[in-house]
Amino acid sequence: VSALQASDPEIAALVAQEKDRQHRTLEMIASENHASHAVMEAQGSCLTNKYAEGYPGKRYYSGCAFHDEVETLAIERAKRLFGCGYANVQPHSGASANLAVQLALFDPGDTFAAIELSDGGHLTHGSPVNLSGKWLNPVTYNLVTDESREDWGHLDYDSVDRVCAEHKPKVLMTGYSAYPRTIDFARFREIADRHGAILWADVAHIAGLIAGGAHPSPFPHCHVVTTTTHKTLRGPRGGMILTDDADLAKRFNSAVFPGTQGGPLMHVIAAKAVAFGEDLQPSFRAYAEQVVANAKRLAGELMDRGYKLASNGTDNHLILVDLRATDPELTGKDAASWLERAGIIANMNTVPNETRSPFKTSGIRLGTPALTTRGLRADDLAEVAGFIDRVLTSRGDAAVIDAVRADVESLCDRFPRLSA
Ligand code: PLP
């Protein structure tokens, strides 16, 4: 009997049920992954017991010698992984990393440019319900909306340039939550330089692809880079700030602590170090490449069946299906709920030229990072595309959905989940 089972059977039972759920379903939420046993062991360690406010060698508490070494290892590995000069590994999450950068770079009311939220941005990039939209002044650029254009659904770099020329933002932001194409960081830098803006990339989604060489690096183009550590990087839930600029690095350190956080989560920082160590291995490059190959195959199979994908495909780990083209009645909300009943976990998402509210949406977002960790390869994604098609054309019919569920479970049994 584990310590958890002995002391709290209720929580132990829920953890066991969640473990079983993770085994029996196909995790296709683009922002999720399966962390390794080693990452979870570090996160579940005695490092959780310690206060270590400050930074390595400059703590406000005694007894931090081992914590200094742990954090230094995390920092050094992060720098090697992204080829940059400075890393702050303390942000508790992606949103916390972004908040610290905003505290460091902005005064209240300052203007910054970011993508229109419904085109794939994150709440922390200027949403009216987020601090970034309440206390700052976001101005937005768009994707290419003309469907007759070859680059429909790609970033509209002319609109980036236009919005910067008109509003002279202090900061230009790139990096997205639901963008299936490669980001041209050099082009962003050229625009930022022309308009005197600081260039900030939030690579939360694609960080693992960057680290694994499957997406171009934001360095040396971006002045600041933020990321989460739990998506394609396959680490514990958390955030990180990277830069090559010594002066900015100092400002970010102060903005994280004491600016926006108290004691760092040292057990999570240890788990970040473990994940970065894994990400530095040659096998992680193969993983990143396979994530993209799997997404491309999924995209191709769905398009062959008549589905419309935002930007007509993908270059990275995710695709966005615009359901209006195949079934004008079907919302993203219903599609995600039918898929869940079939054991396929995905999320509803707005799509370019969205006509529904964010609570219903016209699209679903599908990602391959977690399935790839589990060992699925391109031919398996072709099978998954068939499952998705059967569900989306079922009109919610229970018999069809139950039959797909059985097929999903047998596929899952061929790929035992990796996490403890
Ligand atoms: N930035 C981007 C681009 C994201 O997609 C996300 C999360 O989905 C975040 C930031 C926020 O990360 P967290 O949920 O860890 O706060």
Side-chain angles (χ1 to χ4, degrees):
V1 178
S2 75
L4 182 59
Q5 269 163 343
S7 111
D8 194 331
E10 244 180 315
I11 290 291
L14 290 168
V15 172
Q17 286 175 62
E18 169 59 11
K19 185 173 169 181
D20 183 55
R21 184 195 71 82
Q22 290 186 15
H23 172 78
R24 292 190 303 111
T25 55
L26 294 172
E27 183 51 71
M28 300 194 74
I29 292 177
S31 51
E32 296 190 9
N33 214 327
H34 298 287
S36 70
H37 285 268
V39 164
M40 289 202 265
E41 194 176 324
Q43 188 164 12
S45 70
C46 65
L47 273 76
T48 194
N49 295 333
K50 190 80 194 87
Y51 252 111
E53 280 178 357
Y55 290 99
K58 289 170 280 186
R59 304 285 188 188
Y60 290 80
Y61 288 81
S62 303
C64 291
F66 303 122
H67 298 265
D68 281 1
E69 288 194 45
V70 164
E71 187 166 345
T72 302
L73 276 170
I75 291 168
E76 292 306 318
R77 289 176 185 173
K79 285 159 50 180
R80 262 172 61 207
L81 206 50
F82 289 92
C84 64
Y86 303 88
N88 186 310
V89 296
Q90 292 194 2
H92 300 331
S93 67
S96 307
N98 288 353
L99 181 64
V101 167
Q102 284 154 355
L103 179 69
L105 297 183
F106 295 116
D107 291 315
D110 274 351
T111 298
F112 71 103
I115 202 164
E116 180 69 40
L117 205 63
S118 63
D119 278 355
H122 187 256
L123 289 169
T124 54
H125 303 181
S127 157
V129 296
N130 183 264
L131 180 140
S132 58
K134 286 177 189 284
W135 291 6
L136 301 171
N137 177 38
V139 292
T140 55
Y141 58 84
N142 297 95
L143 301 175
V144 172
T145 52
D146 178 353
E147 296 204 20
S148 66
R149 271 174 60 170
E150 182 81 353
D151 59 354
W152 165 71
H154 291 236
L155 285 162
D156 183 349
Y157 291 93
D158 291 337
S159 95
V160 178
D161 195 37
R162 257 195 323 274
V163 83
C164 289
E166 186 179 345
H167 298 281
K168 294 285 171 210
K170 191 169 193 177
V171 171
L172 170 58
M173 271 197 94
T174 176
Y176 314 98
S177 297
Y179 181 61
R181 294 296 178 176
T182 301
I183 301 170
D184 187 342
F185 293 115
R187 197 157 172 196
F188 266 102
R189 176 60 184 264
E190 187 268 316
I191 296 171
D193 279 352
R194 206 140 28 79
H195 301 290
I198 295 171
L199 182 59
W200 171 10
D202 175 354
V203 299
H205 262 261
I206 53 172
L209 304 184
I210 293 165
H215 187 289
S217 174
F219 291 107
H221 311 294
C222 299
H223 299 100
V224 52
V225 173
T226 51
T227 183
T228 54
T229 50
H230 48 273
K231 299 185 171 94
T232 45
L233 278 177
R234 220 159 57 180
R237 305 198 80 74
M240 173 160 73
I241 306 173
L242 306 165
T243 183
D244 258 339
D245 182 309
D247 175 54
L248 284 178
K250 267 194 208 145
R251 285 157 65 187
F252 296 144
N253 281 352
S254 312
V256 173
F257 175 82
T260 51
Q261 290 189 176
L265 309 177
M266 291 309 304
H267 54 307
V268 178
I269 290 172
K272 288 175 182 172
V274 173
F276 300 158
E278 292 174 356
D279 299 347
L280 284 163
Q281 302 304 313
S283 58
F284 193 75
R285 295 186 83 78
Y287 165 72
E289 204 175 292
Q290 190 65 48
V291 166
V292 176
N294 283 354
K296 282 182 183 290
R297 181 65 179 273
L298 178 67
E301 294 283 337
L302 288 173
M303 287 193 296
D304 285 349
R305 289 170 171 83
Y307 288 94
K308 181 178 176 184
L309 305 190
S311 85
N312 293 320
T314 184
D315 299 325
N316 61 24
H317 63 300
L318 69 82
I319 64 171
L320 277 176
V321 185
D322 187 337
L323 300 162
R324 292 171 301 190
T326 33
D327 183 349
E329 303 294 306
L330 182 57
T331 62
K333 186 172 185 206
D334 284 342
S337 134
W338 296 351
L339 287 166
E340 181 176 10
R341 278 163 51 204
I344 298 169
I345 310 301
N347 63 282
M348 62 174 163
N349 217 99
T350 53
V351 285
N353 310 326
E354 182 57 75
T355 43
R356 294 190 173 107
S357 87
F359 303 106
K360 282 213 159 78
T361 80
S362 301
I364 47 169
R365 189 182 65 163
L366 298 165
T368 54
L371 295 189
T372 307
T373 294
R374 217 170 153 158
L376 278 78
R377 300 180 70 83
D379 285 348
D380 305 309
L381 268 295
E383 199 177 336
V384 172
F387 299 161
I388 292 170
D389 180 40
R390 281 161 63 198
V391 173
L392 295 183
T393 53
S394 71
R395 303 208 156 266
D397 185 287
V400 177
I401 291 177
D402 288 350
V404 176
R405 172 108 210 176
D407 289 343
V408 163
E409 293 201 4
S410 56
L411 179 62
C412 289
D413 285 339
R414 283 175 22 221
F415 296 95
R417 203 177 59 89
L418 298 179
S419 298

